[in-house]
Amino acid sequence: MAAYERRRAAAAPVPAGGSGPPEPGRAAPGGGGVPAEGSAADFLLRAGVTAMVREALLKVLEARPAEPVSFLAEYFERLVLAEAAAEPAGPPQRLARALWYVCLAHHSHRTAFDSNAGAAYEVLGCGGRRRAAGVDGRLYSELLRRICQRGAAPAEAAAELLRRVRCRDHEAVPFDVFRYGVLTCCVLLEFAAKADALFAVLGAGGSADSRLCQAVLRALEDALGAGHGSRPARYLEAGSRLGPDRLALAMEQALQERKLGSSMSREEFLSKATALFIAKVKPVE
């Protein structure tokens, strides 16, 4: 370190008018009267660093990740890899980048989610194709499959959902269909996570009293049935209105039944719960 400082001091030019560096706000020697601070800001602006950092900070504010520093590190790493590619990225690279975009922000942050979905759409559209032309149906379906793999949704539920929202491989998928499919898959993952947390309350370990499970599933079905509209998030909101008082009443009535209760596994409960959600999903025509 000391040797580095000596070399740095020896290499530093000595100003003609004095022995120290120019004071802040004063013109640098030979700089044509341009302040040092101004030249630094101009350099960052010309290099595109200012816009890049501003965009990165906006992404952090949109996503609000638990670990912002790690989020920024991954964000800049993706940018470097994308710019370093000499050839246009192939389908695997484009799919990975599109998946990263759609997972940047939670679907409840509508503006940020729509912006990221648009970026993913452009990536899968080879970058140079117009949005109106659409994304290849094969890439669209593969992206949905990768989204569903990121959560704890049952495999059969994910497969049934994909059958409802997928397009044919040769079709050009318009943006509204693309966004609907991506959003529906994201909502399914959150719905499955909430159902899993609900099951953890019903019983310890991997099983719970089937009477309690059936009562909760009936209450959940009633809550979903009260939702109107075709937005996937609407059914998630309807399920969230399943308050503790309503659940407690349903569970109490189930326990008052004189039938001998069997057990229901976590997998069975999740399968039945996610099936209620998928039944409300409008198929892509």
Side-chain angles (χ1 to χ4, degrees):
M1 178 65 71
Y4 168 76
E5 292 295 338
R6 287 195 296 271
R7 290 195 301 270
R8 182 181 178 185
V14 178
S19 58
E23 297 179 4
R26 294 184 59 184
V34 179
E37 290 84 350
S39 61
D42 290 342
F43 168 75
L44 294 176
L45 193 61
R46 289 194 305 269
V49 176
T50 303
M52 183 187 303
V53 173
R54 183 185 296 114
E55 180 69 18
L57 293 179
L58 286 175
K59 291 297 183 184
V60 172
L61 292 175
E62 289 176 353
R64 300 185 182 273
E67 299 181 1
V69 176
S70 299
F71 178 91
L72 282 173
E74 183 182 1
Y75 179 84
F76 284 119
E77 181 182 3
R78 298 261 182 182
L79 286 180
V80 171
L81 292 176
E83 294 178 357
E87 298 288 337
Q93 292 79 16
R94 286 156 50 206
L95 279 167
R97 191 175 180 189
L99 180 63
W100 176 68
Y101 270 123
V102 298
C103 296
L104 273 178
H106 191 266
H107 62 80
S108 60
H109 302 156
R110 184 169 180 177
T111 301
F113 181 82
D114 288 351
S115 175
N116 294 332
Y121 189 84
E122 295 295 340
V123 168
L124 293 182
C126 301
R129 296 177 61 183
R130 298 171 56 189
R131 174 172 296 188
V135 166
D136 181 72
R138 179 178 55 85
L139 293 178
Y140 162 74
S141 299
E142 177 61 21
L143 176 64
L144 299 187
R145 188 185 67 82
R146 294 191 182 193
I147 293 175
C148 291
Q149 288 179 341
R150 295 176 60 89
E156 63 275 11
E160 176 59 28
L161 178 64
L162 292 178
R163 279 193 289 269
R164 287 175 174 260
V165 299
R166 72 184 305 172
C167 296
R168 296 183 180 88
D169 291 351
H170 64 275
E171 287 182 323
V173 182
F175 179 71
D176 57 342
V177 174
F178 177 88
R179 181 191 177 279
Y180 175 76
V182 170
L183 176 61
T184 305
C185 290
C186 291
V187 173
L188 171 66
L189 297 186
E190 185 171 354
F191 190 90
K194 290 183 180 295
D196 192 21
L198 188 58
F199 181 82
V201 177
L202 298 178
S207 62
D209 191 301
S210 63
R211 295 173 298 174
L212 296 179
C213 293
Q214 292 292 352
V216 170
L217 289 172
R218 286 194 297 269
L220 181 59
E221 184 176 12
D222 292 341
L224 291 174
H228 299 286
S230 58
R231 288 195 305 112
R234 181 70 59 84
Y235 299 112
L236 188 63
E237 295 164 3
S240 299
R241 291 196 294 269
L242 192 62
D245 53 345
R246 187 173 178 181
L247 278 177
L249 179 60
M251 293 166 66
E252 182 181 1
Q253 292 175 348
L255 291 175
Q256 288 176 353
E257 296 179 1
R258 297 185 178 276
K259 299 178 182 178
L260 181 62
S262 57
S263 62
M264 180 180 292
S265 66
R266 170 183 173 273
E267 291 74 17
E268 183 181 359
F269 181 84
L270 287 181
S271 178
K272 291 179 179 295
T274 52
L276 294 176
F277 168 78
I278 293 174
K280 298 292 184 179
V281 175
K282 181 181 179 181
V284 173
E285 297 178 355

